[in-house]
Amino acid sequence: LMSGVKNNVGRGINTALVNGKTGELLDTKFFDMWGGDVAPLIEFLKTIQDGTIVLMATYDDGATKLNEEARKLIAELGSTSITNLGFRDNWVFCGGKGIKTKSPFEQ
């Protein structure tokens, strides 16, 4: 879903959206949390539809520009570690829009 070979990874938070019923890849994006702006990430998170599997992984720095709103939106996808994510921390996460519990797939 994400790889340097496909040239779809970048500094910050890398995301992949997968249809929870069919397994079809819907979208991949990355959001630069060092030199970029958090607003595009927030808008992206708000558009995710219920039933979508959300995969996230950091590369380099995924936390510097994260604000409380972005962290809350990611927590709503099932993350428990996003509140503690700091500068250059490594983080991988698999959750979903509409999840009722916390994701067990996070490190």
Side-chain angles (χ1 to χ4, degrees), residues 61-96:
D61 177 37
T64 296
K65 298 280 177 88
L66 278 182
N67 61 18
E68 201 169 311
E69 182 180 10
R71 290 177 190 266
K72 179 181 176 283
L73 289 167
I74 295 170
E76 289 172 359
L77 298 171
S79 174
T80 55
S81 299
I82 193 64
T83 55
N84 300 320
L85 189 68
F87 178 67
R88 288 205 166 157
D89 283 348
N90 293 314
W91 175 66
V92 292
F93 166 71
C94 178

Side-chain angles (χ1 to χ4, degrees), residues 28-39:
T28 60
K29 290 192 182 327
F30 67 90
F31 301 91
D32 186 347
M33 293 292 103
W34 172 255
D37 184 9
V38 72

Side-chain angles (χ1 to χ4, degrees), residues 8 14 18 22 25-27 36 39 41-42 45 47 50 53 58 61 75 77-78 81-83 87 92 96 101 104 107:
N8 64 351
N14 290 271
V18 176
T22 67
L25 176 64
L26 302 173
D27 199 2
L41 172 63
I42 291 169
L45 293 170
T47 65
D50 277 357
I53 297 168
T58 57
D61 177 37
L77 298 171
S81 299
I82 193 64
T83 55
F87 178 67
V92 292
T101 59
Q107 181 107 23

